[in-house]
């Protein structure tokens, strides 16, 4: 037994050291270097930076709820849009046990609660966009994504807000449509996925920070 330990332990330790250096150091440096060379923006977090100032990550949503900006989907961290009857904030997009099938003791069913939340959101969207009276509110403006941090909305949801933005920003609908078109990601190969409008980039363009 002593001979086995004496013969193989140094070799095993040496192999461990070699592969630790190769996989833990050289491989990591190589992959990081290649990423920085070929995809510097993505490798550094897809940060939207203009003139040295960072405005956020284009892959993560930000909360916009004033009439001069385009609104995105409901966020996981939204605690201000809704409150319960006691005035306490409701984290509408956060993980919860609210399901159409569930029910809490002495309270409304989860299905009713969810319908109330969506109805409140629809009312808020319609109030902010009176130009679209009689038109259906795009579903992604009243629901959250799986992560609750989706940075984009559908083209229909973006177009729904164009008349309001024209009214509040002083830009023409044609100018705003141009901005929406510029920051729309189209289907991959024209087939896969859905068209998606990046809300943060549109709002930065509306402010004149990004090119329109």
């Amino acid at each position: 037994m002593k001979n086995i330990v004496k013969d193989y332990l140094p070799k095993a330790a040496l192999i461990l050291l070699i592969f630790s250096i190769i996989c833990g150091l050289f491989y990591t440096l190589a992959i990081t270097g290649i990423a920085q060379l070929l995809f510097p923006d993505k490798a550094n977090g897809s940060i939207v930076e203009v003139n040295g100032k960072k405005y956020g990550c284009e892959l993560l949503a930000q909360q916009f709820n004033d009439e001069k900006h385009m609104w995105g989907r409901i966020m996981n961290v939204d605690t201000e849009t809704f409150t319960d009857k006691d005035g306490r904030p409701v984290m509408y997009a956060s993980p919860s046990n609210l399901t159409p099938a569930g029910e809490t003791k002495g309270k409304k069913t989860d299905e009713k609660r969810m319908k109330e939340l969506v109805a409140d959101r629809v009312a808020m969207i319609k109030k902010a966009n009176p130009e679209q009276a009689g038109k259906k509110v795009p579903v992604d403006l009243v629901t959250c994504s799986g992560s609750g941090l989706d940075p984009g909305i559908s083209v229909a949801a973006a177009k729904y807000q164009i008349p309001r933005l024209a009214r509040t920003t002083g830009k023409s609908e044609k100018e705003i449509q141009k901005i929406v078109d510029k920051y729309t990601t189209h289907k991959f190969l024209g087939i896969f996925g859905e068209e998606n409008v990046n809300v943060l980039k549109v709002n930065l363009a509306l402010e004149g920070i990004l090119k329109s």
Side-chain angles (χ1 to χ4, degrees), residues 134-153:
K135 295 184 180 179
K136 290 184 177 180
V137 176
V139 66
D140 48 327
L141 289 180
V142 298
T143 58
C144 62
S145 62
S147 66
L149 295 172
D150 197 321
I153 55 177

Side-chain angles (χ1 to χ4, degrees), residues 151-173:
I153 55 177
S154 66
V155 173
K159 287 184 176 180
Y160 183 90
Q161 302 178 70
I162 288 178
R164 166 174 58 83
L165 293 172
R167 167 171 52 85
T168 57
T169 64
K171 297 180 182 294
S172 68
E173 290 192 20

Side-chain angles (χ1 to χ4, degrees), residues 167-191:
R167 167 171 52 85
T168 57
T169 64
K171 297 180 182 294
S172 68
E173 290 192 20
K174 186 176 181 180
E175 288 177 302
I176 298 173
Q177 181 64 62
K178 183 180 177 182
I179 292 174
V180 170
D181 291 341
K182 182 178 179 66
Y183 296 107
T184 296
T185 301
H186 299 282
K187 295 181 179 181
F188 179 63
L189 300 178
I191 302 174

Side-chain angles (χ1 to χ4, degrees), residues 73-79 82 90-96 114 117 143-149:
R73 302 191 69 166
I74 300 170
M75 292 178 60
N76 238 359
V77 294
D78 185 3
T79 60
F82 299 108
V90 176
M91 293 187 69
Y92 174 68
S94 66
S96 73
M114 292 299 287
L117 292 173
T143 58
C144 62
S145 62
S147 66
L149 295 172

Side-chain angles (χ1 to χ4, degrees), residues 19 37 55 61 118 124 141 178 195:
F19 277 95
L37 180 64
Y55 291 92
V118 171
M124 184 172 65
L141 289 180
K178 183 180 177 182
E195 291 187 324

Side-chain angles (χ1 to χ4, degrees), residues 1-109:
M1 185 66 179
K2 289 182 179 181
N3 290 333
I4 293 177
V5 173
K6 183 178 180 181
D7 293 338
Y8 291 102
L9 185 58
K11 294 180 181 179
L14 179 60
I15 291 174
L16 176 62
L17 178 62
I18 291 173
F19 277 95
S20 295
I21 294 174
I22 293 174
C23 298
L25 181 61
F26 292 154
Y27 175 78
T28 302
L29 290 175
I31 294 300
T32 301
I34 292 172
Q36 289 290 342
L37 180 64
L38 300 179
F39 316 103
D41 291 338
K42 291 181 174 59
N44 291 313
S46 299
I47 301 298
V48 179
E49 184 174 347
V50 181
N51 296 327
K53 184 175 180 178
K54 298 177 180 178
Y55 291 92
C57 173
E58 64 180 79
L59 303 179
L60 293 174
Q62 290 189 28
Q63 183 74 41
F64 294 97
N65 51 26
D66 63 286
E67 294 194 351
K68 291 186 177 182
H69 288 97
M70 180 168 285
W71 296 0
R73 302 191 69 166
I74 300 170
M75 292 178 60
N76 238 359
V77 294
D78 185 3
T79 60
E80 297 179 356
T81 303
F82 299 108
T83 57
D84 61 18
K85 292 182 177 179
D86 297 323
R88 294 172 299 188
V90 176
M91 293 187 69
Y92 174 68
S94 66
S96 73
N97 293 321
L98 290 176
T99 65
E103 184 174 356
T104 54
K105 294 181 179 180
K107 296 183 180 181
K108 296 179 181 179
T109 63

